[in-house]
């Protein structure tokens, strides 16, 4: 074997090893893998060890490798784009991927044009690519920062949708650059041609693959494997076939094929998804190493102040503006909107498509445009991933957008009433329900609902039970409630598990099994008795969560240690007081000389705002 070939094989093996290592480190430290891939790429590239340069694969070979890699990456993203999820998404989420995407594209294009002085089409290409955030950089952040489901859904959906739309828009602008098309009518025609060819080819390939998966004998013993290979081949055929008909139509084709197959009821979907994820991991290694091979620090330095202006504008002006406009009038709180504004890292699609186009621009003799494209996209990716991705947890904690996660199994009247009270206090509540009519009612009331059987471990896990602090079994079936409680305890071990007992005779049996139980019959009787014997207290308790509030919180502030109730009383907000103190197994109504200690659990009672302010005095975090 020739020395050059042996060296190339060793290099390819090293790149694959780097990709796998980056993913392991990503999972270990819960950071986007792109951070480790970019670092490795720079070390292996011309600015590091120099093992990979523009000539390593040859510009034509590099263009082919990156092109096929981009096809797989775009297909993967489109495959996860579920139409039913878009229908269920809040209005603000839909505005993010429409109005927000337009704002991002136009504003970024204008900033690049005047900050870097490049022509409008190159500015538009950069602007189109930087619309995409992407699930591969958002997902690791959401694993580390368990924000409310409405925030996570908005960010995740935005990433998936904009990945695909940004890639298609970038293709059209790139083709306009290469063909020197500038007339508006010609640009519209170019867009229609490329998109139309992509849609037709993608739909044809998706139809053939679907028919083969559904109705062709794939050999029962190897059916899952053959299904995976068939889908992979379909993605590559869609890309190559569309590009053969019209240059740069391939990305639209794989996007359409991926979206159609992802929303079709195809067999072996779980196996296909896992396989595509593994393949995507490997091709990502090539993309980012290729990006590093094209990157030279002198090109970043050449961007100068203009490059910094673009980064600052994208992160601190354009992103906050589009989020704030898109979420006006929705259920998002102010701090949630700020968090979404400050967390919009760019990643896979901008990097991979920019690499592909930079190679092709260089092949066309447009090296300056290629250098600006790679430098600007890389600079924004690096800044947003490191600063926004790396510090997302700290940003979330500072803005106080990490609520207590509560899983409620049962979306009936009891479950929905409890969800409403908890959500009104700012908690992140997910209701699990399998009755479609009840699901629709709960969603119409504004609750986050996960469809499925709450007695299924996989359903509990997919609803977020691994991150839940509280699990409540609130169905009308005592057997189901007991099973849910036992599953939650054995599989997920949340801090608190509560079960509803519809038959009061079952309470003792539940509690003997260690399940904290609330009898709906006894609770109703006690509430009626309160109105008979303690009407003022009963009326006030009915206002909890509205005008009045009762909260229990652990004392964590060192400033509260050694302080008596008498001393802290005047410091409490008006309308609030300490009603109970629990220390170990002992709970008491404290007298004025009772001395607080760190670790005490105190019960605050009073008006809603006063109690919330007092909670921060005892537990600043």
């Amino acid at each position: 074997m020739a020395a050059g070939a042996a060296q190339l094989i060793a290099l390819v093996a090293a790149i694959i090893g780097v990709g796998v290592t980056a993913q392991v480190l990503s999972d270990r430290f819960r950071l986007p893998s792109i951070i480790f891939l970019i670092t490795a790429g720079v070390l292996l590239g011309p600015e590091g060890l120099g093992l990979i340069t523009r000539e390593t694969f040859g510009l034509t070979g590099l263009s082919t490798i990156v092109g096929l890699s981009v096809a797989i990456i775009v297909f993967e993203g489109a495959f996860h784009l579920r139409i039913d999820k878009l229908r269920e998404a809040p209005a603000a989420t839909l505005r993010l991927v429409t109005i927000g995407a337009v704002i991002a594209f136009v504003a970024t294009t204008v900033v690049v044009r005047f900050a870097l002085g490049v022509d409008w089409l190159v500015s538009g290409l950069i602007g189109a690519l930087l619309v995409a955030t992407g699930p591969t950089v958002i997902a690791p952040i959401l694993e580390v920062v368990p924000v409310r489901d409405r925030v996570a859904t908005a960010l995740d959906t935005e990433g998936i949708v904009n990945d695909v739309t940004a890639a298609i828009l970038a293709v059209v602008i790139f083709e306009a650059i290469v063909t020197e098309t500038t007339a508006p009518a010609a640009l519209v025609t170019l867009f229609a041609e490329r998109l139309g060819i992509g849609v037709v080819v993608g739909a044809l390939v998706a139809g053939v693959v679907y028919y083969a998966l559904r109705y062709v004998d794939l050999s029962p013993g190897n059916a899952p494997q053959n299904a995976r290979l068939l889908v992979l081949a379909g993605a590559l055929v869609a890309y190559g076939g569309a590009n053969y008909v019209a240059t740069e139509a391939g990305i639209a084709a794989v996007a359409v094929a991926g979206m159609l197959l992802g929303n079709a009821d195809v067999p072996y979907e779980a196996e296909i998804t896992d396989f595509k994820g593994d393949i995507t991991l490997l091709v990502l290694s090539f993309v980012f190493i290729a990006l590093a091979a094209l990157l030279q620090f002198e090109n970043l330095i050449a961007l100068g102040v203009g490059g910094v202006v673009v980064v600052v504008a994208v992160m601190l002006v354009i992103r906050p503006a589009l989020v704030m406009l898109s979420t006006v009038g929705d259920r998002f709180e102010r701090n949630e909107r700020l968090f979404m504004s400050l967390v919009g890292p760019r990643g896979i699609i901008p990097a991979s498509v920019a690499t592909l186009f930079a190679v092709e621009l260089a092949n066309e003799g447009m090296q300056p445009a290629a250098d600006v494209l790679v430098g600007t996209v890389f600079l924004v990716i690096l800044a947003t991933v490191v600063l926004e991705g790396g510090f997302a947890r700290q940003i979330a904690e500072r803005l106080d957008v990490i609520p207590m996660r509560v899983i409620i199994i049962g979306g009936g009247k009891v479950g929905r009433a409890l969800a409403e009270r908890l959500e009104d206090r700012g908690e992140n509540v997910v209701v699990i329900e399998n009755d479609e009519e009840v699901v629709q009612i709960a969603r119409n009331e504004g609750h986050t609902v996960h469809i499925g059987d709450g007695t299924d471990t996989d359903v509990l896990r997919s609803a977020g039970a691994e991150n839940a602090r509280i699990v409540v079994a609130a169905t009308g079936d005592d057997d189901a409630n007991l099973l849910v409680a036992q599953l939650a305890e054995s599989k997920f071990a949340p801090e608190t598990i509560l079960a509803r007992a519809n038959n009061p005779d079952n309470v003792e049996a539940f509690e003997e099994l260690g399940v904290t139980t609330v009898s709906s019959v006894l609770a109703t009787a006690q509430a009626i008795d309160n109105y008979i014997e303690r009407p003022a207290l009963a009326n006030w308790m009915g206002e909890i969560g509205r005008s009045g509030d009762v909260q229990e919180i652990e004392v964590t502030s060192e400033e509260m240690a050694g302080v008596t109730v008498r001393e802290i009383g005047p410091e409490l907000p008006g309308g609030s007081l300490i009603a109970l103190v629990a220390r170990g197994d002992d709970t008491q109504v404290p007298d004025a000389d009772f001395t607080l200690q760190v670790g005490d659990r105190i019960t605050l009672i009073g008006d809603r705002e006063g109690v919330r302010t007092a909670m921060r005095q005892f537990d600043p975090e």
Side-chain angles (χ1 to χ4, degrees):
M1 182 181 293
Q7 184 179 4
L8 189 59
I9 291 173
L11 190 57
V12 170
I15 291 174
I16 293 174
V18 166
V20 173
T21 303
Q23 187 58 48
V24 171
L25 291 174
S26 171
D27 292 339
R28 172 66 180 80
F29 294 103
R30 291 194 170 187
L31 291 171
S33 59
I34 190 174
I35 294 177
F36 303 103
L37 286 169
I38 288 177
T39 303
V42 171
L43 291 175
L44 294 174
E47 298 294 344
L49 300 175
L51 298 178
I52 301 175
T53 65
R54 298 170 188 265
E55 291 74 31
T56 300
F57 299 101
L59 286 180
T60 303
L62 184 58
S63 177
T64 302
I65 292 172
V66 173
L68 293 174
S69 299
V70 170
I72 293 172
I73 293 167
V74 173
F75 183 88
E76 166 84 3
F79 193 84
H80 288 94
L81 183 57
R82 297 292 190 265
I83 301 301
D84 58 339
K85 292 294 183 184
L86 289 180
R87 292 197 190 102
E88 297 168 5
T93 304
L94 299 180
R95 290 196 294 268
L96 271 177
V97 300
T98 50
I99 297 171
V102 171
I103 293 171
F105 168 61
V106 173
T108 305
T109 298
V110 171
V111 170
V112 171
R113 170 71 177 87
F114 291 104
L116 299 178
V118 295
D119 65 51
W120 280 109
L121 284 178
V122 174
S123 300
L125 179 59
I126 295 171
L129 289 174
L130 293 180
V131 167
T133 51
T136 50
V137 286
I138 291 295
I141 292 173
L142 297 179
E143 288 178 5
V144 179
V145 187
V147 292
R148 289 183 180 86
D149 275 43
R150 59 175 177 256
V151 177
T153 298
L155 290 174
D156 202 29
T157 304
E158 179 194 21
I160 293 172
V161 174
N162 285 353
D163 249 12
V164 177
T165 55
I168 294 175
L169 179 59
V171 163
V172 175
I173 297 175
F174 172 78
E175 189 63 21
I177 293 173
V178 173
T179 59
E180 299 182 350
T181 303
T182 56
L187 286 172
V188 172
T189 301
L190 192 65
F191 176 80
E193 285 179 353
R194 294 314 184 266
L195 183 59
I197 291 169
V199 168
V200 171
V201 173
L204 286 173
V205 171
V208 171
V209 172
Y210 177 79
Y211 180 85
L213 290 173
R214 270 285 177 193
Y215 304 110
V216 176
D217 184 3
L218 297 177
S219 181
N222 293 316
Q225 173 184 304
N226 293 334
R228 295 193 297 265
L229 295 174
L230 183 62
V231 171
L232 176 61
L236 298 179
V237 168
Y239 178 76
N243 268 357
Y244 182 79
V245 176
T247 56
E248 306 307 334
I251 290 179
V254 293
V256 170
M259 185 172 63
L260 291 176
L261 287 172
N263 285 277
D265 185 18
V266 296
Y268 313 111
E269 183 174 343
E271 291 88 346
I272 292 170
T273 301
D274 292 341
F275 177 67
K276 289 192 298 80
D278 293 339
I279 295 296
T280 301
L281 168 63
L282 295 180
V283 299
L284 280 176
S285 304
F286 283 102
V287 168
F288 283 101
I289 298 303
L291 176 62
L294 292 172
L295 180 69
Q296 294 180 329
F297 287 166
E298 62 186 41
N299 292 335
L300 291 180
I301 296 172
L303 295 176
V305 176
V308 176
V309 169
V310 172
V311 170
V312 172
V314 168
M315 292 177 60
L316 301 180
V317 180
I318 299 172
R319 176 69 184 175
L322 72 89
V323 169
M324 291 299 176
L325 288 172
S326 298
T327 55
V328 167
D330 220 297
R331 297 185 61 193
F332 294 96
E333 297 176 359
R334 173 179 169 274
N335 282 4
E336 290 175 340
R337 298 168 74 195
L338 285 173
F339 175 76
M340 294 166 65
S341 299
L342 296 174
V343 178
R346 273 58 174 181
I348 302 306
I349 288 298
S352 56
V353 178
T355 303
L356 174 63
F357 290 163
V359 172
E360 297 188 6
L361 287 172
N363 289 342
E364 295 286 335
M366 305 172 70
Q367 192 61 54
D371 291 341
V372 171
L373 173 62
V374 170
T376 306
V377 170
F378 180 88
L379 196 60
V380 172
I381 289 173
L382 189 62
T384 56
V385 168
V386 171
L387 297 178
E388 297 181 345
F391 292 95
R393 178 82 189 192
Q394 289 78 5
I395 294 171
E397 290 174 346
R398 181 69 176 174
L399 294 174
D400 192 24
V401 295
I402 304 178
M404 175 174 66
R405 178 178 284 266
V406 182
I407 305 290
I408 299 176
I409 295 86
K413 293 180 180 179
V414 174
R416 299 200 305 275
L418 176 60
E420 182 179 358
R421 297 176 75 90
L422 292 171
E423 288 171 350
D424 191 53
R425 293 208 298 269
E427 306 303 351
N428 186 18
V429 180
V430 178
V431 177
I432 298 178
E433 176 59 58
N434 58 2
D435 186 307
E436 292 187 5
E437 183 177 346
V438 176
V439 167
Q440 195 58 48
I441 293 172
R443 282 183 173 156
N444 290 340
E445 292 178 0
H447 304 301
T448 299
V449 185
H450 189 89
I451 303 175
D453 183 353
T455 61
D456 187 321
T457 303
D458 291 335
V459 171
L460 289 170
R461 181 176 288 106
S462 62
E466 290 176 323
N467 295 320
R469 286 177 55 190
I470 297 175
V471 172
V472 181
T475 76
D477 184 338
D478 283 357
D479 290 337
N481 290 340
L482 180 57
L483 180 55
V484 167
Q486 291 175 321
L487 279 176
E489 175 64 32
S490 61
K491 301 293 185 181
F492 307 107
E495 290 182 13
T496 304
I497 301 173
L498 299 171
R500 168 188 174 188
N502 300 277
N503 185 343
D505 294 337
N506 292 334
V507 172
E508 186 176 349
F510 274 38
E511 293 182 341
E512 285 178 356
L513 293 171
V515 178
T516 303
T517 309
V518 176
S519 168
S520 53
V521 173
L522 296 178
T524 302
Q526 185 177 8
I528 294 173
D529 184 42
N530 281 336
Y531 275 102
I532 294 172
E533 294 294 328
R534 296 165 285 276
L537 177 62
N539 286 325
W540 186 85
M541 291 290 288
E543 287 299 309
I544 289 179
R546 297 182 179 90
S547 59
D549 207 354
V550 178
Q551 293 286 342
E552 181 178 317
I553 192 167
E554 181 178 345
V555 178
T556 62
S557 173
E558 296 288 346
E559 295 180 3
M560 295 294 109
V563 178
T564 65
V565 171
R566 187 192 309 278
E567 293 169 328
I568 192 60
E571 303 297 325
L572 291 175
S576 65
L577 56 87
I578 300 173
L580 295 172
V581 178
R583 181 175 296 165
D585 295 329
D586 180 41
T587 301
Q588 60 181 292
V589 177
D591 58 26
D593 296 321
F594 185 93
T595 303
L596 297 175
Q597 296 179 5
V598 172
D600 287 347
R601 296 199 64 83
I602 63 172
T603 300
L604 295 164
I605 186 171
D607 67 68
R608 182 177 178 179
E609 293 304 318
V611 168
R612 298 300 171 84
T613 303
M615 289 172 68
R616 287 190 286 273
Q617 290 181 244
F618 294 100
D619 182 13
E621 297 300 322

